[in-house]
Amino acid sequence: MVKKILLVIWLFLPVVAFGSPRADTLIHLDDVGSLGTGLDDGWKFHPGDNMQWAAPAFDDSKWQPIEPSTPIKFLPQVREAQIGWFRLKLLVGKNLRGKTFAITIYQIGASEFYLDGKLIIQYGKVNSNYKDEQTYNPNGEPCTIQLNDQAEHVLAVRYSYCKQNMYLNNGSGAFSMAIAAPATAWWWFRINTNYFVHRAFALGIFVILGILHLSIYLGYRKRKVNLYLALLSLVQSYCFMNAFWGNIHNTTFLSYGQAGFYVLAPFAFIFQLTMVYELFSWPKKLLYKLLVALNILIIPFEFLGQLGPSEVLLGCSGILIYLEIARITIIAFRRKLPGSLLFFCGYMISLVFFFAFNYVTVFNIDITYDVVVIFVDIAFLTPAVTLSILLAREFAQNNISLQQKLEEVQNLSEKSLAQEAEKQALLASQNEMLEQQVTARTHELNTSLDNLRSTQNQLIQSEKMASLGELTAGIAHEIQNPLNFVNNFSDVNREMIDELKEELKSGNLDEALAIADDIKQNEDKINQHGKRADGIVKGMLQHSRTSTGEKQPTNMNVLADEFFKLSYHGLRAKDKSFNAELTTNF
């Protein structure tokens, strides 16, 4: 706790050690104090580049007074110059002369520090050309200097700032400097590195959460809250990389890195809001769309940097989103939705620290940057970690539920297997008994089938004989007709033969030939009716013939004609008055 208080005093000293910029010729440095002394006041600035300006004897009385620790967005003369010189004249007390001290510097851009015309340290590469400049921030790393026995000393800083560099368009000053005993300076530097420890810790957590939840989403894409939590974590990990960009000696890389920060920072709030909407299945209505549109519209202001209050806009937008998330969480808690209580507590903590961070940022409250970083870490880590805990608990509950169901299924499966075994044993015994019964029954059925076939053959033959008996009268009547024709034409032919003989005796050949023709016609009719009678007899014989019952191919037209005629004659035998015309079309 004591170290924290000392850290507050140390970082506060550069602001209060001296008053507002003034045109004094000398700044008195009588004591560096146990905690060090800030050297942010008494500086003068002139645009341009001239190495003679580092000489202690150079007259800078006409140079413009300036406080280089002022945010560079409020130093238009430095921005427009792109390269220039700062000078500070010190009157060192007797007790400090000839001693060794350490200076600590924070800056954006690139610089070369000269003490009494000699280069003591160089940070980055100073150049007015954007492509050739190399930005570097030492982040308070101590640099040891040896004061001589002179009373007056001149600090000169050759400094370049390329306004095309988007990385530099933030709220930092051109540079700030403090002087202290070497041991004190290194002690402060170690304390200040806690900032990087916090950044690295938060960055590691976000990277792990991003990869973890992205993998979970790719495995189960119906749960989209994992996707938005992964996007939030990955975007936040990129934004937290901002803490390490100052140590990279590539201005172009830093510009693109800061440009990515400007684009992704608003999306971090969008993903956070969408994540909560997905968690509680909240409908995305007009308010959600307005908040998303507001954050997207902030992106151009981020690129304006010193020309617009981008930090304030982003902070206000973030507060609105946090309030909307708080509203949804409170409603979800009242509705007793699963996980709403834990999420509500986590977000209230995040909301408190987010308000504290914005209050410190907007109102420029004097507080150590280490503490501000803690505010940011808690504000942004708490929602992600809380939601991860909720999803992990949900996953665990689902696993427990699945495990219970699996055990139930296994128990049911074991019972089913036991019942199935019993059924199989019972079925085996029943099958054996049934096989015996089936064998005996099959023998009985075969015997009955043989008897049935024999009986069927006899029945068919009996039916044939019965039908033959019924049709005998009709067939006899049918045969009688051609026989009557045969007998009648035979009698006629005898008489005509006698007439033929008489005509031949009389010599009437023509008449005899005519009689012969009539006799031939009668013979043809006798032959016709004789064949008709023969066909009826053959059909009757075929019908009455005993067969084996074997199925054979037959002409359906002939069979139909035969039974058609037999039916007709059967009716004629029963009823002499019955008569009909037989017409067929096969």
Side-chain angles (χ1 to χ4, degrees), residues 27-139:
I27 297 297
H28 295 267
L29 183 62
D30 297 324
D31 186 12
V32 297
S34 60
L35 301 177
T37 299
L39 298 178
D40 291 333
D41 198 11
W43 290 87
K44 296 181 179 181
F45 174 77
H46 193 276
D49 189 18
N50 189 339
M51 295 302 299
Q52 294 181 359
W53 294 346
F58 179 77
D59 182 12
D60 58 8
S61 59
K62 296 182 179 180
W63 282 24
Q64 176 185 1
I66 194 171
E67 185 175 331
S69 61
T70 303
I72 201 166
K73 66 175 62 180
F74 302 119
L75 298 175
Q77 64 274 38
V78 178
R79 294 199 313 271
E80 297 302 325
Q82 297 202 120
I83 188 169
W85 284 73
F86 295 86
R87 286 174 60 91
L88 175 67
K89 294 181 180 180
L90 294 175
L91 181 61
V92 179
K94 293 182 179 180
N95 59 327
L96 301 181
R97 299 172 189 174
K99 293 185 178 181
T100 301
F101 296 96
I103 60 173
T104 56
I105 298 169
Y106 298 84
Q107 71 171 28
I108 59 174
S111 63
E112 296 173 357
F113 285 82
Y114 296 84
L115 177 62
D116 297 330
K118 296 181 181 180
L119 178 65
I120 58 174
I121 191 69
Q122 177 179 349
Y123 295 117
K125 182 178 180 181
V126 179
N127 199 296
S128 60
N129 188 343
Y130 165 70
K131 294 182 179 179
D132 295 330
E133 182 194 57
Q134 289 184 349
T135 299
Y136 181 73
N137 183 7
N139 289 310

